[in-house]
Amino acid sequence: MRTQVVIIGGGPSGLLLGQLLHTQGIDAVVLERKTRDYVLSRIRAGILETGTISLMHQAGVGARLEAEGFVHDGTIISYGDEEFTINFKEHTDTSVVVYGQTEVTRDLYDAREAAGLRTLFNVEQVEIHGADTDKAYVTYNVCGEIHRIDCDFIAGCDGFHGVSRQTIPLSVRREYEKVYPFGWLGILSETPPVNDELIYAASERGFALCSMRNAKLSRYYIQCSLSDKPEDWTDEAFWQELKRRIPAQHAEKLVTGPSIEKSIAPLRSFVTEPMRWGRLFLCGDAAHIVPPTGAKGLNTAASDIHYLFEGLKQHYLENNSAGLETYSEKALARVWKAERFSWWMTNLLHRFPDQTEFDLKMQKADIDFLRSNKSAQSVMAQNYIGLPY
């Protein structure tokens, strides 16, 4: 098989790149190691920056997002029973949209299938060959048979555990990592959200987040120990703990119900440099991970896709490779800013096991400063709605 771009990974970043390339007549094949249903069963974040929304429309898949997404003009920050609002609209004249990552992925799959584009599922033993030469190709196994795709470029959108990053020699890549000493226990419940806007709650008992997927589907999180397992927490225990961590006025009106999904996510910050090696380009979780506190995971992946798409479009339509040559530099400049914001929000709102009384006073002072200072609120709003590409 021959194609212009091989996209390894059929998650939202790989699918978004494929759809954008299709709008410009650039051929791409997507390789996914799982089934479509498996990919769509993953429960992930659902806050979209303005740039991500623009890319969805550019890819021709923004109609359902526009019709069903929940526009959020701000968010609530609380400490104990005290709370204040960061008004995105006031500070940036724009908003974010709550629209589940599963729905983003579904829209992209539907569009890809409608266009008859090639997506290969249940692909195993993917190997990248000749990425540092002008004869790159990818081999893979399906049902015991080895296949080969020759290509011009390879987009590694296969996540943290994928083959793409590991293909770049250790002598070339450098990795930066911070592992946080806690995780997030999250549940999904068929209950109305406790509030119209998200609530980021700091408390003496630890962090909590009240979010939603739609008017009848809520997503809640509480900070937990890394040694915890989802089965350690009954639904009743989760709801009781959540109520202890959010302001009393919200706890009183919280509608509880059975969880339909429950999981624990560890928190880490991770970046690998460079994000390009020859004809191989890393995107999304293959190159970087952020703690979910700042809602930057999917959105930072989308910014990678923007830079790579623009570079590929420039290469194929203008015979100019400048965008591809500078891809890693441009992507990383924005990635590190997203990492900083996610790190800052995580430190602002969580309880750390080694915090001293001084540390706690500094954390509270930081929250108080954010509450009282319009400039600080503006900086947070600018980062939350998404820095420009």
Side-chain angles (χ1 to χ4, degrees):
M1 194 187 301
R2 169 82 198 177
T3 189
Q4 291 171 300
V5 182
V6 170
I7 300 172
I8 303 175
S13 57
L15 295 171
L16 180 58
L17 177 61
Q19 202 61 26
L20 287 166
L21 293 174
H22 173 63
T23 66
Q24 301 300 313
I26 300 169
D27 187 50
V29 175
V30 174
L31 305 181
E32 169 54 45
R33 68 186 182 92
K34 298 292 188 178
T35 65
R36 171 182 162 140
D37 287 345
Y38 180 92
V39 176
L40 290 174
S41 71
R42 298 170 181 157
I43 304 297
R44 295 291 187 271
I47 299 173
L48 304 186
E49 295 177 353
T50 52
T52 305
I53 296 165
S54 176
L55 285 173
M56 290 285 285
H57 285 290
Q58 193 176 345
V61 290
R64 197 161 71 96
L65 161 63
E66 197 71 27
E68 300 179 14
F70 283 76
V71 176
H72 279 212
D73 293 334
T75 192
I76 292 174
I77 306 289
S78 74
Y79 189 91
D81 283 335
E82 300 178 16
E83 67 177 55
F84 59 96
T85 298
I86 306 292
N87 190 313
F88 306 146
K89 197 78 171 174
E90 174 188 336
H91 292 291
T92 68
D93 199 32
T94 189
S95 309
V96 294
V97 172
V98 173
Y99 189 69
Q101 180 172 316
T102 300
E103 304 311 313
V104 170
T105 309
R106 190 186 312 279
D107 292 343
L108 288 163
Y109 268 133
D110 288 348
R112 189 165 183 81
E113 289 179 4
L117 305 177
R118 290 178 290 181
T119 307
L120 307 177
F121 294 100
N122 295 310
V123 170
E124 300 178 331
Q125 299 172 355
V126 174
E127 292 186 23
I128 298 168
H129 307 267
D132 58 339
T133 73
D134 60 358
K135 295 185 191 252
Y137 65 98
V138 175
T139 58
Y140 59 94
N141 185 320
V142 174
C143 299
E145 185 175 346
I146 301 296
H147 300 262
R148 168 174 170 155
I149 308 180
D150 293 281
C151 57
D152 300 330
F153 302 103
I154 302 160
C157 305
D158 49 348
F160 183 77
H161 299 289
V163 68
S164 297
R165 185 179 73 258
Q166 304 299 330
T167 298
I168 302 177
L170 285 170
S171 60
V172 174
R173 63 184 156 99
R174 182 172 181 183
E175 298 181 348
Y176 305 83
E177 184 175 36
K178 177 179 177 58
V179 178
Y180 297 87
F182 43 73
W184 278 15
L185 170 65
I187 72 164
L188 197 65
S189 64
E190 293 178 326
T191 56
V194 69
N195 192 61
D196 291 339
E197 303 286 5
L198 272 65
I199 302 173
Y200 285 87
S203 80
E204 294 180 353
R205 301 183 65 89
F207 170 77
L209 172 62
C210 302
S211 182
M212 72 284 291
R213 290 294 174 267
N214 57 52
K216 298 180 180 178
L217 191 62
S218 297
R219 184 72 165 158
Y220 296 104
Y221 300 92
I222 58 172
Q223 177 184 347
C224 67
S225 170
L226 285 174
S227 62
D228 286 358
K229 297 181 177 58
E231 54 269 24
D232 296 337
W233 286 84
T234 64
D235 288 352
E236 182 181 1
F238 177 90
W239 292 120
Q240 288 178 351
E241 186 59 33
L242 177 64
K243 287 180 180 180
R244 293 187 184 106
R245 299 188 187 190
I246 62 177
Q249 61 267 33
H250 298 296
E252 290 171 1
K253 63 180 182 180
L254 178 69
V255 178
T256 65
S259 62
I260 58 176
E261 191 271 344
K262 187 185 297 178
S263 58
I264 291 179
L267 270 65
R268 71 153 61 96
S269 299
F270 174 86
V271 180
T272 190
E273 295 183 349
M275 288 174 58
R276 177 201 178 187
W277 184 56
R279 293 174 179 266
L280 170 62
F281 299 83
L282 302 182
C283 303
D285 287 359
H288 44 77
I289 302 285
V290 290
T293 325
K296 293 291 162 229
L298 174 60
N299 293 298
T300 308
S303 70
D304 295 343
I305 296 306
H306 163 78
Y307 292 121
L308 182 53
F309 168 62
E310 291 298 325
L312 289 168
K313 184 171 68 168
Q314 193 178 53
H315 171 81
Y316 283 113
L317 303 187
E318 302 173 20
N319 197 28
N320 183 344
S321 293
L324 294 179
E325 295 292 338
T326 59
Y327 165 75
S328 182
E329 178 184 349
K330 287 181 178 178
L332 282 167
R334 194 178 188 278
V335 163
W336 278 114
K337 293 182 180 71
E339 291 280 350
R340 185 213 66 81
F341 178 66
S342 299
W343 163 84
W344 172 76
M345 278 202 72
T346 302
N347 280 276
L348 179 74
L349 300 169
H350 290 75
R351 282 298 174 106
F352 288 74
D354 59 350
Q355 276 179 311
T356 65
E357 290 298 316
F358 179 85
D359 295 331
L360 293 172
K361 287 289 188 181
M362 290 298 98
Q363 191 177 51
K364 181 63 163 60
D366 205 0
I367 293 174
D368 286 343
F369 181 74
L370 181 62
R371 178 176 190 158
S372 61
N373 189 283
K374 292 292 185 182
S375 295
Q377 292 180 17
S378 178
V379 168
M380 179 181 167
Q382 290 172 53
N383 280 272
Y384 200 94
I385 63 99
L387 298 175
Y389 292 158

